Amino acid sequence: MVSTYNNPQNSQPILLKDSKNNAATGASAAGVRAISSQLIAFYFRAPIKAFFRTRVDYLAFARAINPQVQTKQGWSWRMSSAGLLIYAVRTHGWAFVPNQILPPLLANTGVGAVLYTSYLQLLGRLHQPSSESVVKRIYPPPPPSRTFAAGSAAGAVQSVVAAPLDALAVRFRPTDILNGRYKTVWQYGYLKAKEIGYRGVFAGWGLSFFRDSLGHGLFFATFEYIKAQSYYAFITRSYGSLTWRQLPEENRVRVVRPHYAIEPAFLMLAGVAASVAQQTIHHPVSLVQDIHYKNLATLDKENRRQAPISQTLRMYANAYRKTFQQCRTRATQFGGWRKWLYRDFFRNTIRQVPSTSAGLIIFELVRRRYGSEAEAAPMEKDGYSIISR
C-alpha cells in the first residue's frame, strides 16, 4: 500500500510506504518459510529412514482395479503411484483414500517407527556415544559389529510387531472387497485377524524372524559404516594429501571444510549399498515365504476348529517340510539353488530403493549449500578439525 501527502514546504507529493503492512507481509513469509523448512527437516531428520523398505504395499488394491495394470500394458505415467491414485479416486471417489490407502500407510509408518526406535535404543546400550541425543555428529562412530547387533535385534522386534500385518497381507484378495465381502481394508483387517486367530497370525513367523533379523543387521551395519567411517576416511585421505604450505593462510590451523556435496553423496551411496545388502537376504527368503504362505493358507480352516496345540504344531512342522520339498523342486528346475533364489535379483533390488531417497539427497544439498554457519558440526580426527554442515 502506498500513500501520499503534500509537503507544506514543497508542493511535490512524497510517497510513503506502509511500513506496518510490509512488516506483516515479511513476517508472514518468513514464518511460512521457517515452518516449511522445519517440517522438511523433521521428515529427513534421520536420513536412514528414507531408505527403509515398505512392509505393506499400500497400492495393492489400486493396482488390482486399474485396467492398464491388469491388461499388462506398457508403462506410462498412468501406471505410476500418482496415476494409480488418480484413477482410483476418479472411479471410487475420495473415500478410497481413507478406506483403502490409509490403513497400509499407517501400518508402514508404525512398523518403521518401531524398527528405528528399537535400533536407537539398542545401539545406545551397545555404544555409549550414540546414546547422547544432544550430539549432532557422533564420534567416534559405532563399529560395524555394534550396528549389526543393534540392527539384528531391532529387526527381530519388528518381526514380532509386523507379524499380524504379514499374515493379513498374504491373505489379502482384492476380489473380496470388489465382491462386497469386505467394504474397506479396515474391515478386512479386523475380520480376517479375528478369523485366523493368533495361531494364523504367527504362522510362518520363523522365516520372517530370520529375514528381518539378518536383513536389518546387514542394512544398518552397511549404512552406518559407509556414512561414517568411509566418509571420514575419504575426507582425511583427500585433504590430508595437502601439505601445510599448500593450505590457504586461514586454514593453517588444520581446519578442513569439505565440499557441501561430499557428505550427501556418501549418504546416497550408503543407502543404496545398504539396500543391496539387505536385499541379498530379503530376496531369497521372500521366494521361500511365498511358497510357505500358500501352504499355510490351507491350514486356516484347521485353525478355526481350535485344534489342540500339539496337533497345530505338527501341522506347521509338516508345512515347513512341504515347503522345503517344493523349494527343492523349484531349484532343480532352474538349475540349482543359487540360480533360483537370486533370479531377477538386480531388477527387484533397483525397485526396492525408495524414491524418497532422491528427495533426501536434494534436501541435504540445498540445506548444506544455503545453511548457516551455526549448523556446522566440528569433529577432530587425525589432527584435523573437520567442519561439516
Side-chain angles (χ1 to χ4, degrees):
M1 178 179 178
V2 179
S3 58
T4 64
Y5 75 93
N6 291 329
N7 191 341
Q9 299 179 355
N10 192 350
S11 59
Q12 304 232 348
I14 299 177
L15 297 177
L16 296 178
K17 294 183 179 179
D18 191 343
S19 58
K20 293 184 178 181
N21 187 30
N22 291 340
T25 303
S28 301
V32 171
R33 287 196 300 268
I35 294 175
S36 301
S37 62
Q38 289 300 319
L39 289 175
I40 297 175
F42 176 79
Y43 181 77
F44 289 128
R45 180 172 297 174
I48 195 172
K49 292 189 293 184
F51 297 94
F52 282 174
R53 297 163 55 98
T54 55
R55 190 82 185 195
V56 182
D57 184 8
Y58 66 95
L59 292 175
F61 188 61
R63 290 190 182 93
I65 63 175
N66 191 287
Q68 289 187 324
V69 176
Q70 298 305 311
T71 55
K72 298 181 180 180
Q73 299 181 13
W75 191 91
S76 66
W77 74 270
R78 293 183 178 85
M79 301 179 68
S80 63
S81 299
L84 294 174
L85 286 175
I86 291 173
Y87 177 83
V89 170
R90 286 179 177 177
T91 306
H92 297 275
W94 283 103
F96 183 89
V97 175
N99 291 337
Q100 320 299 354
I101 300 296
L102 185 60
L105 280 178
L106 293 178
N108 288 327
T109 303
V111 170
V114 169
L115 172 67
Y116 190 63
T117 303
S118 302
Y119 171 74
L120 290 182
Q121 294 298 322
L122 293 167
L123 184 62
R125 296 293 183 89
L126 298 175
H127 185 249
Q128 194 276 332
S130 299
S131 62
E132 300 177 3
S133 57
V134 296
V135 179
K136 182 177 180 179
R137 190 177 297 275
I138 299 173
Y139 191 82
S145 59
R146 304 295 175 85
T147 53
F148 179 83
S152 297
V157 173
Q158 186 200 45
S159 67
V160 177
V161 177
L165 302 179
D166 295 337
L168 295 175
V170 298
R171 292 170 173 82
F172 178 71
R173 300 293 181 271
T175 53
D176 291 340
I177 295 181
L178 294 175
N179 295 335
R181 183 178 179 183
Y182 306 105
K183 294 182 180 179
T184 64
V185 174
W186 296 102
Q187 187 183 42
Y188 162 77
Y190 172 75
L191 295 179
K192 180 61 70 172
K194 186 177 180 181
E195 175 185 340
I196 63 178
Y198 71 92
R199 297 181 183 180
V201 165
F202 287 97
W205 173 74
L207 289 173
S208 296
F209 173 82
F210 173 79
R211 182 192 67 180
D212 292 344
S213 179
L214 186 56
H216 284 103
L218 289 175
F219 176 86
F220 283 104
T222 304
F223 184 89
E224 297 288 0
Y225 182 81
I226 296 179
K227 181 179 73 74
Q229 282 93 333
S230 297
Y231 169 69
Y232 296 147
F234 175 82
I235 293 299
T236 54
R237 185 180 300 111
S238 299
Y239 289 88
S241 62
L242 297 175
T243 63
W244 185 78
R245 292 184 178 182
Q246 289 176 312
L247 292 174
E249 184 69 26
E250 63 273 11
N251 283 349
R252 290 190 178 181
V253 292
R254 289 180 176 267
V255 175
V256 175
R257 296 178 183 272
H259 191 274
Y260 68 89
I262 295 180
E263 191 170 9
F266 270 86
L267 208 60
M268 186 67 181
L269 178 62
V272 173
S275 298
V276 173
Q278 184 184 36
Q279 188 72 355
T280 58
I281 303 299
H282 274 246
H283 184 80
V285 176
S286 296
L287 289 177
V288 178
Q289 278 185 308
D290 291 341
I291 297 175
H292 188 62
Y293 280 134
K294 291 179 181 178
N295 295 330
L296 293 179
T298 61
L299 300 179
D300 289 343
K301 296 181 180 179
E302 298 295 333
N303 289 330
R304 288 195 291 268
R305 298 177 183 176
Q306 296 296 321
I309 296 294
S310 58
Q311 182 180 351
T312 302
L313 293 177
R314 284 195 298 269
M315 290 190 300
Y316 287 144
N318 291 331
Y320 275 106
R321 284 192 288 267
K322 184 179 179 181
T323 298
F324 176 75
Q325 294 173 358
Q326 292 175 338
C327 291
R328 185 169 55 184
T329 302
R330 295 281 185 89
T332 303
Q333 294 174 349
F334 281 88
W337 284 94
R338 184 180 61 82
K339 291 183 179 180
W340 174 61
L341 290 176
Y342 287 96
R343 62 189 179 94
D344 299 330
F345 173 79
F346 291 103
R347 184 179 65 180
N348 292 333
T349 300
I350 293 174
R351 293 190 306 174
Q352 289 300 329
V353 178
S355 59
T356 52
S357 59
L360 164 67
I361 302 305
I362 295 174
F363 167 74
E364 284 292 327
L365 287 173
V366 174
R367 183 183 68 82
R368 293 168 190 269
R369 175 64 179 83
Y370 299 102
S372 63
E373 291 292 333
E375 298 178 355
M379 182 206 68
E380 300 294 332
K381 179 175 174 59
D382 298 340
Y384 291 89
S385 179
I386 302 175
I387 302 179
S388 301
R389 286 192 297 190

